[in-house]
Amino acid sequence: MGCLIRTDKGILAVLMGKVVLGVAVGVAVAACAVAALVVGRRVRSRKKWKRVVGVLKELEESCETTVGRLRQVVDAMAVEMHAGLASEGGSKLKMLLTFVDNLPSGSEKGNFYALDLGGTNFRVLRVELGGQRSNLDPDVEQQPIPEQLMTGRSEDLFDFIASSLHRFVGKGNDSMQSSITKELGFTFSFPVKQTSVSSGVLIKWTKAFAIKDMVGKEVAGALQQALVRKGLNMRVAVLVNDTVGTLALGRYHDADTVAAVIIGTGTNACYWERTDAIIKCQGLLTTSSGMVVNMEWGNFWSSHLPRTSYDIELDAESPNPNDQGFEKMISGMYLGDIVRRVILRMSEESDIFGPVSARLYVPFALRTPAMAAMHEDDSPELTEVARILNNILDIPDVPRKARKLVVKICDVVTRRAARLVAAGIVGILKKIGRDGSSGISGGSRSDIKMRRTAVAVEGSLYTQYTTFREYLHEALHEILGEVIARHVVINVTEDGSGTGAALLAASHSSSGSADNIQLA
Ligand code: BGC
């Protein structure tokens, strides 16, 4: 029995032992549970990270621009150029006649004005030409175009333009009351079917413009009427695309300039073409051997273009689906939005960006300048990326590794864009026999006599986005090869689209050559 008799202390000890054991087991179980939770969370988060990396990988693969693929784009560009020159509607490349059959020579004299409409900003310029090729120093005034004017009535837009010009002329030394008609160059950066160097009808709007009543209407006429309403004694001497203005200024400074490219809100190129190669216009009454052709390359399309699901969605949701396909992969209006779409996909597939931000669903919430700023953020903690994600996309507290991912997305999207522009440029060079490929049979590329060839470039993506510019140059070298690439120079023109229009107004002024070509 004795052994059954326990003292209070003994009972207490036994109880204590059980309690301790119980607590220990409990702690162990809890620890296991916590560990399991942590491990589970880690496994889940690793899975999510893997999914996000998968999204990135897929993006990289579908944006792939190997030099082989770029060469296919080059060929497709040259083929489409031929087709667009052969017949009206023969290609998605419109290859529009500009009726600009001579470019400024440097002997232009006088005071000329220009209006430059087409991107995010609107510019008014005055250029004084001294008759000698010199460094032009135009007076320029720039202002953003109020958004409501881009989609309202054409009369309101042209009245706004005329008022700005009226103010600008008033500020200068020129008398507004002068009986001498001032000559004006009008840069209008949209597809226009020209009927002469100073007239043409709008085919369609691009970029953020959509003024319905203007499509199919005479553009210079609409401006001329607004000038009259404002009491301005001015004549629209030339109506030109921004690429054409850029080519004019490019040629003014460098006689080897054969083409001009704009890479800004939109993208496009023009070049000097032989008259006999413009088959669709054999009835052209011109004494000149060539003419500037506005390619409207923003609308270029080829199955060789590396297209992603994001491009397809962007296009489908745009106001102009199936249009401007090349532009939607390249220009400033769209790059930021492609990146937004990728971040949205990642955010929906994982929580690395926290709960999905409503801002990510807003089209164009991320503009290209902000995207470029993230791409070029070289701070160790990527503070600019964090700031933009927070301030613009409402995504706070993004861990560093997710910020790095965002930089990578920007890189993939920008690299593809810049390399496609390079392919487009080489496409033009190929069409006019300046890519070093003619006469290649029998000789190595290094044997070819290649003439120095200059391309004038303008637009913020090229001038203000260093990485874009570097990728473009790199791809030019890859496609052309080092030997040929050495003969191709890219010249940046400043305000070329506007200043070039003033130069063309000078060379086509009523005292000068005027409209001397037309369709037979
Ligand atoms: C327009 C072109 C213009 C280009 C660059 C495109 O959207 O269609 O006419 O040259 O943008 O401004």
Side-chain angles (χ1 to χ4, degrees):
M1 288 287 287
C3 62
L4 293 174
I5 298 168
R6 294 183 188 149
T7 61
D8 284 353
K9 268 189 187 166
I11 290 171
L12 202 63
V14 169
L15 281 178
M16 286 266 290
K18 280 190 178 167
V19 169
V20 168
L21 191 67
V23 169
V25 169
V27 167
V29 167
C32 281
V34 169
L37 210 73
V38 170
V39 170
R41 217 178 261 162
R42 251 190 223 149
V43 168
R44 267 198 309 280
S45 105
R46 215 171 280 148
K47 265 195 193 148
K48 279 179 190 164
W49 180 250
K50 245 182 146 177
R51 270 214 298 274
V52 166
V53 171
V55 173
L56 176 66
K57 219 163 169 232
E58 194 189 308
L59 175 75
E60 282 180 304
E61 278 164 13
S62 41
C63 284
E64 186 84 81
T65 47
T66 58
V67 72
R69 187 184 269 243
L70 290 180
R71 291 212 175 103
Q72 288 173 318
V73 174
V74 168
D75 291 344
M77 182 68 82
V79 166
E80 292 300 316
M81 288 172 79
H82 274 283
L85 289 173
S87 63
E88 213 61 77
S91 161
K92 286 203 92 167
L93 276 187
K94 290 205 171 52
M95 306 300 283
L96 300 169
L97 305 185
T98 63
F99 295 83
V100 172
D101 66 345
N102 57 64
L103 287 166
S105 61
S107 61
E108 295 76 11
K109 267 189 184 160
N111 228 343
F112 293 89
Y113 287 85
L115 290 177
D116 187 352
L117 173 79
T120 325
N121 293 308
F122 163 68
R123 272 183 284 265
V124 197
L125 307 90
R126 178 181 23 240
V127 188
E128 218 179 301
L129 303 168
Q132 272 169 352
R133 218 175 275 273
S134 56
N135 252 348
L136 301 171
D137 185 20
D139 280 343
V140 186
E141 220 172 75
Q142 169 170 311
Q143 55 184 311
I145 304 163
E147 248 175 71
Q148 75 276 9
L149 287 185
M150 297 185 188
T151 50
R153 291 179 336 129
S154 59
E155 213 175 289
D156 295 337
L157 176 69
F158 284 102
D159 280 344
F160 165 80
I161 295 171
S163 302
S164 308
L165 181 60
H166 190 268
R167 260 199 323 275
F168 183 75
V169 176
K171 278 191 209 158
N173 300 327
D174 276 354
S175 158
M176 275 197 284
Q177 265 67 52
S178 161
S179 59
I180 301 166
T181 308
K182 295 179 190 56
E183 306 280 356
L184 180 70
F186 184 23
T187 307
F188 184 74
S189 312
F190 301 95
V192 167
K193 186 166 174 49
Q194 306 244 179
T195 40
S196 75
V197 75
S198 60
S199 59
V201 295
L202 173 66
I203 299 172
K204 63 177 184 185
W205 290 106
T206 56
K207 297 170 276 197
F209 283 74
I211 303 170
K212 284 208 190 82
D213 74 276
M214 194 58 211
V215 178
K217 296 260 174 65
E218 223 289 305
V219 179
L223 173 61
Q224 195 70 63
Q225 283 163 17
L227 298 180
V228 171
R229 282 198 292 274
K230 264 278 150 211
L232 275 165
N233 186 10
M234 286 187 151
R235 181 185 86 101
V236 182
V238 289
L239 169 70
V240 293
N241 187 259
D242 50 356
T243 53
V244 181
T246 301
L247 180 60
L249 185 63
R251 180 70 74 91
Y252 185 83
H253 289 306
D254 185 337
D256 291 329
T257 309
V258 295
V261 176
I262 303 276
I263 330 162
T265 310
T267 184
N268 188 13
C270 75
Y271 72 108
W272 182 261
E273 182 58 281
R274 285 178 297 116
T275 316
D276 61 0
I278 311 175
I279 298 159
K280 66 181 173 186
C281 246
Q282 290 304 1
L284 207 62
L285 290 181
T286 172
T287 47
S288 173
S289 59
M291 183 193 278
V292 177
V293 172
N294 167 16
M295 293 173 62
E296 284 296 329
W297 87 3
N299 203 37
F300 167 68
W301 191 251
S302 153
S303 58
H304 298 300
L305 290 173
R307 203 177 197 205
T308 68
S309 55
Y310 310 102
D311 301 306
I312 295 171
E313 283 165 20
L314 184 149
D315 181 55
E317 290 166 26
S318 72
N320 54 348
N322 285 324
D323 238 5
Q324 301 295 101
F326 198 48
E327 178 163 274
K328 285 172 182 162
M329 289 184 173
I330 289 173
S331 79
M333 168 124 187
Y334 304 101
L335 292 192
D337 205 54
I338 301 175
V339 170
R340 171 189 69 84
R341 286 166 191 277
V342 184
I343 300 177
L344 172 61
R345 166 87 56 88
M346 288 182 171
S347 190
E348 283 175 337
E349 295 215 356
S350 85
D351 56 5
I352 62 157
F353 294 106
V356 185
S357 158
R359 286 287 291 160
L360 278 175
Y361 290 101
V362 179
F364 301 104
L366 181 66
R367 301 270 173 190
T368 303
M371 170 213 146
M374 294 202 286
H375 189 191
E376 300 194 320
D377 180 0
D378 55 6
S379 66
E381 285 307 307
L382 299 173
T383 42
E384 187 60 8
V385 178
R387 193 189 64 77
I388 290 171
L389 288 176
N390 186 26
N391 294 4
I392 295 181
L393 293 177
D394 251 344
I395 312 177
D397 308 323
V398 177
R400 189 169 174 279
K401 79 172 180 179
R403 288 180 226 165
K404 269 176 97 171
L405 208 64
V406 170
V407 175
K408 186 67 194 161
I409 301 169
C410 300
D411 187 66
V412 174
V413 171
T414 292
R415 184 168 183 270
R416 176 185 69 161
R419 289 170 73 81
L420 289 179
V421 174
I425 293 175
V426 181
I428 300 175
L429 299 184
K430 184 173 184 116
K431 167 72 184 70
I432 58 175
R434 296 286 191 105
D435 67 330
S437 63
S438 51
I440 201 163
S441 53
S444 71
R445 284 178 84 90
S446 55
D447 295 338
I448 301 158
K449 284 261 173 302
M450 170 82 186
R451 279 172 64 187
R452 181 177 177 278
T453 298
V455 178
V457 175
E458 194 159 301
S460 51
L461 278 188
Y462 188 85
T463 55
Q464 288 166 35
Y465 195 169
T466 313
T467 318
F468 186 100
R469 189 167 59 239
E470 285 170 358
Y471 278 145
L472 194 162
H473 289 177
E474 185 180 72
L476 270 181
H477 281 246
E478 279 178 36
I479 306 170
L480 288 168
E482 290 305 321
V483 177
I484 303 296
R486 235 177 274 143
H487 300 272
V488 177
V489 288
I490 303 281
N491 291 328
V492 173
T493 58
E494 206 177 317
D495 267 326
S497 49
T499 313
L503 281 171
L504 287 166
S507 51
H508 291 82
S509 70
S510 33
S511 53
S513 59
D515 296 5
N516 54 3
I517 46 166
Q518 47 184 257
L519 294 177

